[in-house]
Amino acid sequence: MAYTSSPVHSAPAAALSPAGFSLGVLLLRMMLGTIMVAHGTQKLFGWFDGPGLDGTAKGFEAWGYPLPEAMAVVAGLSESLGGAGLFLGLLTPLAAAAVLGTMVNALGVTWDGGFLLPKGVEFTLLVAVSAAALALTGPGKYAADAYLPVLRHHRLSYGLAAIALALVVGAVFLLIRD
């Protein structure tokens, strides 16, 4: 009897759960969004024991960024609005790009602190990779994007474009430092 191979399937169709996927993505979006809104409002308004715009600008000045006050506003808005977008699942690829671009800069200025906290980058890497993952997967079906005609059906190309945008803009901001 001759042996014939059959196609390999990664999982039977019955094992895939669109509802489970969407719930998992919802949890990830809401937690990451909440964390980023909190970090952004620390920078913008000094909430949650944050440094506010003046303190954040001093940090950007120490890291060699030009126009540190403007950079503090850009970082605070990117984190706050990107986080809110992720939480709501609204314009998810762009929201993820805002968070990822900010994390590219955070990694660039803190990389020499080692991997683990208190000075390490593992938290920043986790946020960056989570944002990139959400850009690629899309927001799931429990999201505001489900009501937007263009974003109703997430495409991989949206996520790849968002990641490319975040990496390019993040790199530009790193390169303009002194």
Side-chain angles (χ1 to χ4, degrees):
M1 183 179 247
Y3 174 78
T4 60
S5 63
S6 61
V8 176
H9 298 285
S10 61
L16 300 176
S17 170
F21 171 82
S22 287
L23 283 172
V25 169
L26 173 68
L27 288 174
L28 178 60
R29 281 192 321 104
M30 291 179 73
M31 180 62 4
L32 185 59
T34 299
I35 289 168
M36 294 314 300
V37 168
H39 277 270
T41 57
Q42 283 183 310
K43 288 174 179 64
L44 291 172
F45 310 117
W47 294 355
F48 310 111
D49 296 322
L53 281 175
D54 290 338
T56 303
K58 288 177 185 171
F60 277 97
E61 186 173 32
W63 290 321
Y65 285 90
L67 303 169
E69 296 84 5
M71 294 296 169
V73 171
V74 168
L77 288 175
S78 295
E79 290 180 0
S80 297
L81 296 177
L86 289 176
F87 184 90
L88 297 170
L90 178 63
L91 304 174
T92 304
L94 285 177
V99 170
L100 179 57
T102 304
M103 293 303 106
V104 165
N105 275 268
L107 287 167
V109 299
T110 61
W111 192 258
D112 60 351
F115 185 71
L116 297 175
L117 288 175
K119 295 182 179 183
V121 296
E122 89 277 6
F123 176 76
T124 309
L125 277 171
L126 179 61
V127 170
V129 170
S130 297
L134 287 170
L136 293 172
T137 63
K141 69 180 184 177
Y142 308 118
D145 283 351
Y147 300 98
L148 298 176
V150 174
L151 295 175
R152 185 172 295 138
H153 302 290
H154 182 77
R155 292 177 174 77
L156 178 60
S157 60
Y158 298 164
L160 292 172
I163 291 170
L165 174 67
L167 294 177
V168 168
V169 173
V172 166
F173 276 91
L174 281 172
L175 291 172
I176 63 172
R177 294 177 27 211
D178 291 332

